[in-house]
Amino acid sequence: MHVLSDANGLPLLVGISAGNTHDSEGLKPMIEGHQTRHDPHNGRHFKPQRLHADKAYDRADLRRWLRWKRIGVRIARKGIESSERLGRRRWVIERTMSWLSGYRRLSPRYERNPRNYLAFLGLAAALCCYKRLVRLTT
């Protein structure tokens, strides 16, 4: 399961990959799949400014690719940063993953068809966003 979230932990984009592929292989499709907002009044594009990730994404080619896309890189370095102490920003995605895995259909993967699992994952992400919206408006 791959999740791209905003700074508050709301899931923006979800995706899945096979169990035998490394997590870092899912980063480029997630970033490419994220649509930037366009403000027609002043012609600005709003794109992600920084990417916070754990040690699984610590690869030189991914860092170069993200810098080429003009996205700031905050990735924990292997052998330097302790995995016991999650950063303030990286804890946000861990909480989001916890929200998504709280849905019974997703935690043990019951679905054999990846399209069905991705549909349930998207539904869970939409429900997380809806719950947050209701909590903010009431």
Side-chain angles (χ1 to χ4, degrees):
M1 179 182 341
H2 303 282
V3 179
L4 185 68
S5 74
D6 67 352
N8 296 321
L10 289 178
L12 300 174
L13 192 64
V14 293
I16 57 172
S17 64
N20 59 354
T21 59
H22 196 265
D23 286 342
S24 63
E25 298 295 324
L27 180 66
K28 284 185 182 180
M30 294 296 281
I31 297 293
E32 302 254 340
H34 178 64
Q35 295 179 357
T36 59
R37 289 186 311 172
H38 176 70
D39 187 7
H41 297 297
N42 57 1
R44 288 188 56 197
H45 286 280
F46 296 96
K47 64 179 183 67
Q49 295 174 349
R50 279 183 297 282
L51 177 82
H52 296 271
D54 61 357
K55 294 179 185 181
Y57 300 94
D58 186 24
R59 289 183 16 199
D61 62 325
L62 287 177
R63 287 179 183 272
R64 277 192 306 272
W65 183 77
L66 287 167
R67 283 191 196 111
W68 180 75
K69 298 279 256 180
R70 294 193 174 106
I71 297 173
V73 179
R74 304 283 171 103
I75 298 176
R77 297 199 180 268
K78 293 179 186 172
I80 297 174
E81 296 181 33
S82 170
S83 56
E84 293 175 359
R85 206 182 111 210
L86 284 174
R88 221 178 2 170
R89 308 273 193 251
R90 288 188 301 156
W91 181 253
V92 173
I93 194 65
E94 297 294 331
R95 182 185 63 192
T96 303
M97 296 293 276
S98 173
W99 288 344
L100 292 175
S101 62
Y103 290 96
R104 194 178 80 167
R105 195 77 180 208
L106 297 177
S107 185
R109 187 171 172 171
Y110 290 117
E111 298 299 321
R112 296 179 73 92
N113 189 348
R115 289 172 48 191
N116 292 346
Y117 185 75
L118 185 60
F120 281 120
L121 184 60
L123 184 62
L127 286 172
C128 287
C129 291
Y130 175 73
K131 286 179 181 179
R132 181 67 181 241
L133 177 68
V134 167
R135 192 168 10 138
L136 289 175
T137 57
T138 57

